[in-house]
Each structure stands twice: as C-alpha cells, then as structure tokens.
Amino acid sequence: MNFDELIDIRYSLYHRCSRAGYRIKRMDDEELKIVGRQGSLHIMSNQARRFLLTKLRELAKEKGWRGALPGARP
C-alpha cells in the first residue's frame, strides 16, 4: 500500500462513496461492501467502519505519512 492508496481507501470509507480503485456498495444504512484490486471487505456496522479508519490512521503514523486525511492530496 502506498500513500495515494491510503488516501483513496480512507476517503471511500469516510464518505461511503467510490474513489479511484475502491468501489463502495451500500447494503443498508450501516452495512457496506468495499471492493478493491486485491479483494472485497464486508463491513457490518458503522462501529466496524470507524475501527478500520482508526487502524488505517495508525498505519499512516507508523509509516510516517503525514496528511493522510480524507480529501487531502500531497
């Protein structure tokens, strides 16, 4: 995963919409499916989506990627 992919997946998850290589399919108000190049992920609740966003933010910190926020481009 690179910086641009991280931005795209976080944007998709945060806004619940498709972007770049990630497609979002809403199942209902909370459930959604995100499909990327390597496979798909079924997110069961808003709490799970927020947990994943938190983990992706932590990954960005570990790699020293600053500004990996939804909507931000280097």
Side-chain angles (χ1 to χ4, degrees):
M1 187 191 258
N2 63 37
F3 183 76
D4 288 331
E5 287 180 7
L6 180 67
I7 290 173
D8 291 336
I9 194 168
R10 288 198 65 219
Y11 183 92
S12 293
L13 286 168
Y14 187 80
H15 295 286
R16 298 180 192 150
C17 67
S18 298
R19 178 175 175 156
Y22 300 97
R23 289 185 331 224
I24 298 287
K25 180 180 178 190
R26 287 182 171 209
M27 311 295 222
D28 60 25
D29 286 342
E30 287 202 5
E31 275 187 77
L32 57 95
K33 186 176 195 176
I34 185 165
V35 180
R37 290 185 311 214
Q38 306 245 346
S40 64
L41 177 66
H42 186 171
I43 298 174
M44 301 293 290
S45 67
N46 192 43
Q47 185 178 6
R49 182 182 64 85
R50 292 176 55 97
F51 176 79
L52 181 55
L53 281 166
T54 299
K55 291 300 175 185
L56 289 171
R57 186 179 66 241
E58 290 172 3
L59 174 68
K61 276 186 180 179
E62 286 175 13
K63 293 193 177 234
W65 293 338
R66 300 285 177 207
L69 301 171
R73 284 259 176 209

